[in-house]
Amino acid sequence: IKKINVKNKTLDKREKNYVNNRLILKNIIGKMKTLNFSGFSIDTRSIKKNNLFLAIKGKKKNGNRFIYEALKKRAGCVVTSSIVKGSNKKILKVKDPISFLNKFAKLKRDCSSSKIIAVTGSAGKTSLKNLLHELLENFGKTYSSPKSFNNHLGVPISLSNLSIDDKFGIFEVGMSKAGEIKKLSKLIKQHIGVITNIGEAHIENFKNIYGVAKAKSEIIENIEPGGTIILNRDDKFFNFLFKKAKDFKLKVSTFGKNKESNIKIRKIIKKNDLSRIFIFIDDQEIDFKIKDLNLYNVLASIAVLRELKIDFTKIKNKLKHLESSEGRGKK
């Protein structure tokens, strides 16, 4: 499949996104449709004007029942596998909506010029993703997957929502069994991967915690050539993950309390509701204040900025105004 791109400089950003999406659509269905749509939705409760509504038949709800509601809310396009009464040029019938979604997501990723970051781990994924979004927004248009869109539907929907002018894209990758992260990260094709930690979440689907570590390590296999994996040096599976990263010829960046970390803590001074953190970034010492942020997530986000060659000191004062995002245990 040829790389799709929009080079017409006379078009504004919104129109470029429309053209880009039409070209991707043509690549999938084999013919050009004069439809203007931007962004994907599978839920009419949160659908936005001009979104593509993907009608999916789930275990509890059948999206095909909400096609007319999506059109009423001014969806730009509806994709369904059902036969719909009447004719409407906005409705496209496909054999398999999930297959359509994955093809669209792959092509959208292929034509994106964004720096792509993927985050996985047993805890802290969503809050790290949100923290990275807050920080990277200061340096360019940033997209991140909404809520915990980290599974076989959430990841391709998130990728399909990338805009042509996004400078950074941040995606959360979850799993409940082996093989899932491999499949999802193959779709994301991240330049930078982050593994927050290895814990016992979803251990019921594995023989032991080593099985969880192996499953999380699948993200390493699909980092783009010349890319970087960011690892928690204090994690008990660090050596296993480090060796695998080296086997895949990746650059490794580390964070933690361990003295060998690229981003390492020197000391912490707590005063009232603020903590003053002193860290070394390589050999440069800096300090900053945080409120109730997860310290490991702060270190991981600094490691990401370092890989993107962004000067962290320009935004360190913003950290004390940020609060931990809601999530499982605010991790």
Side-chain angles (χ1 to χ4, degrees), residues 272-309:
N272 301 324
D273 62 339
L274 284 176
S275 294
R276 190 177 180 189
I277 315 294
F278 294 81
I279 68 166
F280 279 110
I281 302 178
D282 298 316
D283 294 322
Q284 180 191 2
E285 185 181 41
I286 64 166
D287 68 281
F288 54 88
K289 293 175 183 177
I290 61 171
K291 219 170 190 177
D292 66 342
L293 295 176
N294 178 312
L295 181 55
Y296 276 94
N297 279 350
V298 172
L299 297 177
S301 65
I302 294 170
V304 171
L305 267 59
R306 173 179 172 267
E307 285 311 303
L308 293 170
K309 295 180 171 53

Side-chain angles (χ1 to χ4, degrees), residues 225-238:
T228 301
I229 185 71
I230 293 171
L231 301 175
N232 180 344
R233 194 142 200 158
D234 299 339
D235 193 90
K236 59 185 172 183
F237 285 97
F238 169 75

